[in-house]
Structures are given as structure tokens and as C-alpha cells.
């Protein structure tokens, strides 16, 4: 209960004082689990539903409404959103993070739109990686199994002279096909390569800079159905994806009671799935300030802008599309550019030493549904050092998707 978390109010606070349903997967819990990927790891978390559809596809949600294209769960890696604007969900097979590089995973069950914005409706999953200061030296891990038949993970970290620390990592994972309900080959095996790098540089006694980048490539296949005589038949089709991201975050600490951060990231992916090619590029700016006023007010506020550009095209003919999907899918305006402008303000008010009220709202404007707001009010009562009672009312929105 004394673990520090940041996903509720975008500031450090003890888990015991958070007016929300939060579960933290610590590094020890991650290492002790038998999981080999992020979806299987999330099975440990209460209130999270994880279903594996085939060898390369998962359906994950919080508090119900589950499906492959679930769109009400916001997933972040070091503050970078990884949902796709195509359906406002997550391609879980593109989420490859070596467990040894994860510091903790914070899972919030319930709305988090006030501080995180669109799609934080049923929950927020925030994956926080380790500072490169904590991953010096070399590490190599090799494994194999009946389903995950290839697993290689290598990492090296060290000092950047006197200016900071760094780490570079790479991994390769290979998965066999899973059988169908009839016991046949599912033709859904796949393999993935991933490389990443991170640098942490203390610029001054009050300023720090974090830089990280990663790239992922995956190749596999999937089983689709098509019309045949006299009924349907299954056939394999390629599934490929390539993704990248680059992130930088500058943090300035004015004092123990005030700090500011500016984060900029760019990301993108290209995915060929069920006969459709999906290309998306994102550029995101996020500013935040945290200040304590007197003994009663603890304020967090910020603003951000996200720009998306995409290109969604059907790569199979109309006849083949009707045979495999039962319909011909065509996106009106195959290529589109759109933005998301947002600002938020939240204040934690200490009414008494044991009673705190947190109020705030986020205001967003997107290209699909225009202006939206996401207010919340949370009341926490801590009668003893071992007990917290809380109640909350929130409104969160799902951003319309392409």
C-alpha cells in the first residue's frame, strides 16, 4: 500500500491514498509470473479480462465489453499512448517490451479521462520502464517451449561518459500455430523482432532529459473463411506489421512542491491485416505542471496536441473481399489528417488531514465529434493509516475512430 503510483493524478502519490481502484504489478511480481508476453501478464490483474483469439491476436478489456476491437481501454508506455486511431483499440501483438526492462505496470479500473483524455473509459494500463541507471551491465536470456518455440532477449547498459546512462536491447520471439477447434492447423504462427534504446541524462541538479526509441517487425499468418462449394472453407493469409516510436521528455523541478515536464513523441506503424493495409503516423506534444499551493491545494494542469495522418486501403479485390469477409470494405477518404487538442486541470483539496477532495476536468476537441469534456470528483477518507474509503463520479469519452 506504500507503493508510489502516478497513473491516477499524473503525480507521485502512495497507493493507499489514491481514490481509485488501482493494482500495481511490481518488478518482483512480473519476474515471478509464468507469463512471456504482456497479455498473459495482465491475466494476474483483478478485473482485467484477457482472451486469446489465436496465436497472434488477443481481446483485453477492463470491467467487461471485451472484444478484439475493444475501444474503451487506454494503454500507455512511459506516457505514450499506443492505441490506434483506426478503431481506438490496441494491437497487442505489436506490444513487445522485455520484462526485465519494466519497472512496474499500473492498472486503473475505472475512468481516467480527466487526466489522460480520450478512450480512458473503463480503465488505464500504464507500463513504466526502468531508468537506464538501473540496467547497467549485460543480460542474455534464451528460452523455448511447445508454443513459444523461440525466445531470445539481449540487453546492454552503461554510462555515457559523465553526462548520463544508456541501454540498448533487442529480442526475437517465435510462436507456433495453435490448433483449431477441429484439431487442424490454425495457420496463425508468427515471429517478431524488436530493438530499443534509452538514455537518461541529468542536465543540471534540477533538469533531466529522457530519450527512448524502439522499432518492431512482425511476420505471420492468419486463418480466414471464404465461400466454397457447398459451404465455407478456411485458408491462410499473411499478416505483417512494422512499427516505430521516438520519445523525449524534459523534466524541471523547481522545488519539492513544484515541477514541470514537456514530452514529445512520434510514432507510426504499417499493418497488413485481413486484406487491409493500415498505415498511421502520430506526432504528440504534452506539457504538464504540478504545484502545491499552501497546505491545502495540490494542482496538476497541462495541455497537449496530437496530430495523426493515416492511409487505409483495401488490398484485395471486391470479389475476394466478399468471399472472405462477406462485404467489401472501403474507407471513405482513404487518407486523412486530423488532430486532437486538449487541456486539463485537477486540484486535490485537503479538507482535513484525513479527508481529501479531488476535482477537475479535461477539455478536448477532436476532428470527428468536436468539443468534449471529461469531469470527475473523488472523495477519499483515511480514518487510519491502514484504511481508505473513497467514492468517485466521472465522465469519460471514447473518441470516434476511422
Amino acid at each position: 500500500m506504500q507503493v508510489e503510483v502516478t497513473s491516477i493524478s499524473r503525480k507521485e502519490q502512495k497507493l493507499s491514498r489514491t481514490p481509485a481502484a488501482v493494482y500495481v504489478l511490481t518488478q518482483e511480481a512480473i519476474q515471478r509470473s509464468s507469463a512471456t508476453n504482456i497479455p498473459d501478464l495482465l491475466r494476474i490483474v483483478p478485473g482485467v479480462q484477457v482472451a486469446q483469439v489465436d496465436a497472434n491476436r488477443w481481446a483485453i478489456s477492463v470491467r467487461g465489453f471485451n472484444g478484439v476491437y475493444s475501444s474503451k481501454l487506454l494503454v500507455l508506455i512511459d506516457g505514450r499512448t499506443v492505441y490506434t486511431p483506426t478503431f481506438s483499440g490496441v494491437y497487442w501483438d505489436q506490444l513487445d517490451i522485455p520484462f526485465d526492462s519494466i519497472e512496474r505496470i499500473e492498472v486503473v479500473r475505472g475512468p481516467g479521462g480527466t487526466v489522460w483524455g480520450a478512450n480512458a473509459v473503463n480503465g488505464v494500463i500504464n507500463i513504466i520502464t526502468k531508468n537506464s541507471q538501473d540496467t547497467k551491465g549485460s543480460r542474455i536470456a534464451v528460452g523455448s517451449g511447445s508454443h513459444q518455440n523461440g525466445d531470445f532477449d539481449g540487453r546492454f547498459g552503461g554510462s555515457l561518459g559523465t553526462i548520463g546512462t544508456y541501454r540498448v536491447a533487442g529480442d526475437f520471439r517465435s510462436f507456433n500455430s495453435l490448433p483449431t477447434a477441429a484439431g487442424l492447423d490454425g495457420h496463425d504462427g508468427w515471429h517478431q523482432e524488436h530493438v530499443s534504446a534509452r538514455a537518461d541524462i541529468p542536465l543540471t541538479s534540477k533538469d533531466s532529459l529522457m530519450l527512448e526509441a524502439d522499432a518492431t517487425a512482425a511476420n505471420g499468418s492468419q486463418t480466414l473463411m471464404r465461400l466454397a462449394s457447398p459451404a465455407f472453407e478456411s485458408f491462410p493469409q499473411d499478416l505483417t506489421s512494422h512499427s516505430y516510436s521516438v520519445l523525449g521528455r524534459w523534466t524541471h523541478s523547481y522545488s519539492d512542491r513544484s515541477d514541470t515536464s514537456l514530452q514529445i513523441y512520434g510514432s507510426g506503424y504499417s499493418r497488413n491485416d485481413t486484406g487491409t493495409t493500415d498505415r498511421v503516423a502520430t506526432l504528440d506534444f504534452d506539457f504538464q505542471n504540478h504545484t502545491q499551493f499552501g497546505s491545502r491545494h495540490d494542482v496538476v494542469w497541462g495541455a497537449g496536441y496530437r496530430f495523426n495522418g493515416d492511409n487505409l486501403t483495401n488490398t484485395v479485390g471486391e470479389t475476394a473481399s466478399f468471399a472472405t469477409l462477406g462485404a467489401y470494405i472501403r474507407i471513405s477518404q482513404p487518407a486523412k489528417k486530423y488532430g486532437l487538442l486538449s487541456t486539463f486541470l485537477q486540484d486535490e483539496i485537503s479538507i482535513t488531514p484525513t479527508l481529501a477532495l479531488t476535482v477537475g476536468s479535461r477539455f478536448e476537441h477532436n476532428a470527428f465529434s468536436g468539443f468534449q469534456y471529461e469531469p470527475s470528483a473523488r472523495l477519499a477518507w483515511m480514518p487510519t493509516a491502514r484504511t481508505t474509503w473513497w467514492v468517485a463520479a466521472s465522465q469519460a469519452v471514447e473518441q470516434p475512430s476511422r
Side-chain angles (χ1 to χ4, degrees):
M1 296 296 289
Q2 301 307 308
V3 173
E4 297 281 347
V5 296
T6 59
S7 300
I8 301 301
S9 302
R10 295 181 66 162
K11 64 181 180 182
E12 289 190 354
Q13 57 186 151
K14 285 184 171 56
L15 181 61
S16 59
R17 292 184 60 88
T18 57
V22 188
Y23 189 89
V24 179
L25 277 170
T26 63
Q27 173 60 212
E28 181 181 5
I30 293 171
Q31 293 298 332
R32 288 179 178 273
S33 74
S34 60
T36 58
N37 53 60
I38 297 295
D40 282 347
L41 186 60
L42 293 174
R43 296 181 189 274
I44 304 171
V45 182
V48 176
Q49 289 82 46
V50 179
Q52 185 166 5
V53 180
D54 52 33
N56 51 46
R57 202 180 302 268
W58 286 264
I60 301 177
S61 73
V62 172
R63 293 182 171 174
F65 304 100
N66 201 6
V68 173
Y69 300 109
S70 296
S71 58
K72 297 176 177 63
L73 175 64
L74 183 65
V75 181
L76 307 106
I77 302 175
D78 290 329
R80 171 177 65 89
T81 61
V82 295
Y83 78 88
T84 168
T86 304
F87 65 93
S88 293
V90 177
Y91 287 122
W92 291 97
D93 57 313
Q94 294 181 185
L95 218 61
D96 185 20
I97 309 170
F99 285 2
D100 186 67
S101 298
I102 299 176
E103 178 181 326
R104 66 184 185 275
I105 299 177
E106 300 177 5
V107 180
V108 182
R109 303 187 302 278
T114 299
V115 293
W116 294 114
N119 300 329
V121 178
N122 289 339
V124 177
I125 296 176
N126 192 8
I127 303 171
I128 300 169
T129 61
K130 294 179 179 178
N131 189 302
S132 57
Q133 175 71 34
D134 302 324
T135 54
K136 290 183 178 180
S138 303
R139 178 182 183 273
I140 294 177
V142 179
S144 183
S146 57
H147 171 53
Q148 189 169 341
N149 60 351
D151 191 348
F152 173 84
D153 183 1
R155 187 201 72 209
F156 179 78
S159 299
L160 290 169
T162 59
I163 64 172
T165 56
Y166 75 94
R167 73 163 172 265
V168 292
D171 62 77
F172 170 82
R173 310 193 192 283
S174 179
F175 300 83
N176 287 325
S177 296
L178 292 177
T180 66
L184 304 176
D185 189 342
H187 297 292
D188 52 6
W190 62 298
H191 62 85
Q192 183 177 71
E193 302 87 31
H194 173 244
V195 294
S196 63
R198 171 167 171 159
D200 294 273
I201 304 171
L203 302 174
T204 68
S205 60
K206 294 186 176 183
D207 295 88
S208 62
L209 179 66
M210 187 271 278
L211 302 170
E212 64 179 12
D214 74 328
T216 303
N219 292 275
S221 60
Q222 57 189 322
T223 298
L224 300 179
M225 302 295 293
R226 65 184 171 193
L227 290 171
S229 178
F232 289 93
E233 67 176 3
S234 61
F235 72 100
Q237 187 182 68
D238 290 342
L239 189 155
T240 60
S241 67
H242 301 81
S243 62
Y244 70 89
S245 71
V246 179
L247 180 145
R249 182 190 303 126
W250 164 75
T251 303
H252 176 77
S253 177
Y254 299 98
S255 66
D256 294 338
R257 298 169 59 85
S258 180
D259 57 78
T260 292
S261 68
L262 175 64
Q263 176 178 283
I264 302 173
Y265 75 80
S267 64
Y269 71 84
S270 175
R271 184 181 182 93
N272 185 13
D273 192 350
T274 58
T276 303
T277 299
D278 181 7
R279 298 184 180 91
V280 175
T282 301
L283 181 62
D284 185 279
F285 301 85
D286 184 84
F287 172 83
Q288 176 185 312
N289 177 265
H290 167 223
T291 304
Q292 296 181 31
F293 295 97
S295 60
R296 291 186 178 273
H297 296 274
D298 196 343
V299 177
V300 179
W301 67 276
Y305 178 74
R306 181 177 304 151
F307 172 81
N308 287 306
D310 64 30
N311 193 319
L312 310 170
T313 56
N314 196 324
T315 55
V316 300
E318 185 171 351
T319 302
S321 185
F322 266 106
T324 57
L325 303 176
Y328 181 65
I329 298 175
R330 181 173 64 88
I331 304 294
S332 181
Q333 289 184 271
K336 186 175 178 65
K337 295 178 174 62
Y338 43 95
L340 175 67
L341 182 65
S342 64
T343 183
F344 78 94
L345 173 67
Q346 182 167 277
D347 184 12
E348 181 181 338
I349 307 167
S350 297
I351 301 173
T352 70
T354 61
L355 188 65
L357 174 65
T358 303
V359 293
S361 183
R362 190 177 190 94
F363 306 92
E364 291 186 330
H365 185 277
N366 66 72
F368 300 97
S369 55
F371 174 78
Q372 293 176 314
Y373 61 95
E374 300 169 76
S376 72
R378 299 175 179 270
L379 184 66
W381 177 45
M382 296 145 285
T384 70
R386 300 174 59 89
T387 307
T388 300
W389 295 83
W390 61 268
V391 61
S394 309
Q395 174 174 296
V397 300
E398 175 191 346
Q399 179 179 332
S401 61
R402 288 275 274 148

